[in-house]
Structures are given as structure tokens and as C-alpha cells.
Amino acid sequence: MLTKSQKAVLYMVGSVVCFSTMDLIVKYLNNVPFGQVLFMRFFFGMIPILFLIPKNKIFTFYKTKRPILHMWRAFCGMVAICALFVALRNLPLADVISLTFTGPLFVTIMSVIFLSEKVGIRRWFAVAIGFIGMLFIVRPAFEEMNFYYVFPVIFSLGFANVAISIRSLSKTEPNYLIAFYFSILSLLVGLSTIVNGWIWPTLYEAFLFALLGLAGGIANLLLTQSYRLADASLVTPIKYLSLVVAIVAGYFIFAEIPKVMTLFGAGLIVVSSFIIFRREAKLKKQVVAPRI
């Protein structure tokens, strides 16, 4: 029998595999209309969420007394996922995944602004390190005028707003309801692009659509379960395996050679976010995972 900690590690590894699978498929389906990919991600991603709804609430699960905050969380999440997909389709995989780890930096700043949380010198130092690392990675945005590097930053800002919203919503709302409204909005936004013309997928592309949605939906469930079973300081470092996957997959699948500046910047961001996670765990705060 596995211990809780061992199960938590396996859940986190599974989460990394699922998130990495989603990222690779989004990048691989670069020839498919953006809105169609977005729709398929949430159409099939809704399946794992529906299985979480209690049977006795199957006809009333959608009811909530906090519709405005749900709308804000869904909107921020939709903006974040759209920005992530645009970045994945137009930038090196390692650059994008590295920059997604800056999310907790923005969460720290917004926690001070919107939640009046007190942040000590260690976390401010970590934020500074993280932003320096981010600047190393986004250098092409200034040197080559590659505006696509703005999109991972938009993802991180959207991510931060989502994290702040969830900190409030999770006190009264079940996880499946929070995920449901986000998924519905993103699905509808994707569906609205059908007027711009979608393609009829091949059997292989249809398989990738289904895998994309299921991987994205299951990834968050595994991530949540991992944090429930073990301390964040144990399982969070495993999340950084996604950067290794991005570097290896980018090289062998998309012929992307990681730049030295990317690796150096990514190292600073990883150190920064890890310091933040350790402090949050020590202070017994709700730890914000790099992907929500």
C-alpha cells in the first residue's frame, strides 16, 4: 500500500504529464483555427468535471449566491488560457512554460493590493528574482520586436486574478462549480469563432482534440488531489518537471534549441517561485500552484 505522500507524488507527476500533453497538442495543432482548439479543449474537458458533481445535486449544482465573483474568475481564466494558447502556438515551448511559473509572483503582489496581506522581505526578494528571470526570457520582445512574448505575461496576470478569486470562492463554493463556470465561458468563446470557419478534422485530429480536453481537465483534478494528500513543499518541486519536458519535447518534436538566456531566466524563476511556495506553506496559507 502506498502512503499518502507517495500517492501525492504520483498525482503530481500525473498532473505534469497531463499539462505537458495539453501544451504539446496545442502547439502541434497550429494549423487548426484557434477558436476550434479552444472549444475542443473545454468541450472534452467538461467530462471530468461532470463526474465530480454529487448525484443529489445533479439538477441544482449550478446554483450560486456569488455569481459576480464566478463571472470574474471565469473571465480572468478565459483570458489567461487564450493568452497561453496564443503563446504556445507562436513561441518556443521552453520560453512559454518558463514564463508560466511567474504566476505566483503576480499573486504575491495582488495579495498585497487586494487582500491586504503582509509580505515579508523573503517573498519580496523572491519576487525581485523572478522578475529579473522573466526579463532574461522576454528579451526578444524588445530586441526582435516579437510581441508574442506579451502573451505569457498576460497569462500570468490572468492567473493571478484567478488565484485571488479562488482564495475567496473556495471558502463557500465547491471546486467543480468554480471549474464549471470557467469551462462554460471558455467553451462559448471558442464556439463563437465558428463563423470564421472551422476545419473538418481528420480521425487523428479528432483523437487529439479529445486527448487535449481530457488531459487539461484531468490535470487540474490530479493537481488538486496531490495538494490535498501532502504538504506543498513536498509535491510542488515536482511541478518543475514540466520545464524539463518542455525543453526535451521542444528540441525533439519542434526542433527548438533552448537559448542560454532562457535557461538562466527559467532557473531564476524556479528559485523565486519555490521560495514563495515554501513561505506560503510555512505560514499555512493557501498555496497557489503554477497552473490552476
Side-chain angles (χ1 to χ4, degrees):
M1 294 291 292
L2 297 176
T3 64
K4 282 188 176 181
S5 295
Q6 291 171 331
K7 289 179 181 178
V9 168
L10 290 178
Y11 281 130
M12 183 60 79
V13 171
S15 173
V16 169
V17 170
C18 288
F19 273 128
S20 298
T21 299
M22 185 191 80
D23 295 339
L24 289 172
I25 294 175
V26 170
K27 190 171 185 66
Y28 182 78
L29 293 175
N30 199 32
N31 62 316
V32 178
F34 175 85
Q36 187 173 4
V37 174
L38 183 66
F39 174 81
M40 294 300 176
R41 155 64 181 91
F42 289 96
F43 178 78
F44 289 102
M46 190 72 75
I47 296 174
I49 297 173
L50 295 177
F51 276 104
L52 294 178
I53 300 173
K55 292 182 180 180
N56 63 330
K57 294 184 179 181
I58 195 65
F59 296 111
T60 59
F61 76 92
Y62 58 87
K63 294 182 178 180
T64 178
K65 294 181 180 179
R66 310 181 72 182
I68 301 300
L69 191 55
H70 271 293
M71 289 173 60
W72 176 248
R73 179 268 182 265
F75 173 76
C76 292
M78 182 271 298
V79 170
I81 199 72
C82 287
L84 177 63
F85 280 16
V86 171
L88 286 168
R89 290 158 70 103
N90 294 279
L91 296 174
L93 192 60
D95 288 17
V96 177
I97 301 306
S98 298
L99 290 171
T100 62
F101 288 116
T102 62
L105 311 184
F106 291 100
V107 173
T108 300
I109 295 173
M110 289 188 178
S111 295
V112 174
I113 298 173
F114 296 109
L115 301 180
S116 300
E117 289 189 4
K118 293 183 179 180
V119 175
I121 188 65
R122 293 184 186 179
R123 276 192 287 171
W124 280 126
F125 179 68
V127 168
I129 292 176
F131 275 108
I132 292 173
M134 182 178 72
L135 291 175
F136 275 106
I137 298 175
V138 301
R139 283 181 63 190
F142 305 100
E143 296 178 351
E144 305 169 10
M145 298 303 291
N146 189 342
F147 73 94
Y148 284 113
Y149 276 91
V150 173
F151 285 92
V153 179
I154 294 175
F155 164 81
S156 293
L157 288 169
F159 166 95
N161 279 283
V162 168
I164 296 299
S165 301
I166 288 179
R167 279 182 172 175
S168 177
L169 282 171
S170 60
K171 295 176 182 178
T172 60
E173 309 291 280
N175 288 337
Y176 63 79
L177 188 59
I178 298 173
F180 174 77
Y181 284 116
F182 162 53
S183 299
I184 284 293
L185 178 61
S186 300
L187 186 150
L188 292 176
V189 169
L191 181 62
S192 68
T193 66
I194 195 171
V195 296
N196 298 325
W198 286 6
I199 67 168
W200 187 261
T202 63
L203 187 61
Y204 179 58
E205 287 171 334
F207 166 74
L208 290 180
F209 283 151
L211 184 58
L212 166 66
L214 291 173
I218 293 172
N220 278 314
L221 301 181
L222 294 175
L223 184 69
T224 302
Q225 189 64 15
S226 177
Y227 280 120
R228 283 177 177 171
L229 293 176
D231 189 89
S233 61
L234 171 66
V235 295
T236 295
I238 300 170
K239 194 73 186 124
Y240 301 121
L241 286 175
S242 59
L243 181 56
V244 177
V245 174
I247 293 172
V248 173
Y251 180 79
F252 286 103
I253 299 177
F254 303 107
E256 297 173 347
I257 300 176
K259 299 181 289 291
V260 174
M261 288 297 182
T262 296
L263 297 177
F264 181 69
L268 291 178
I269 292 172
V270 167
V271 170
S272 169
S273 58
F274 184 67
I275 292 173
I276 292 174
F277 288 135
R278 289 296 299 270
R279 289 299 296 168
E280 287 179 338
K282 187 175 182 179
L283 297 173
K284 300 186 184 303
K285 291 187 176 183
Q286 182 181 7
V287 175
V288 179
R291 289 287 183 97
I292 294 182

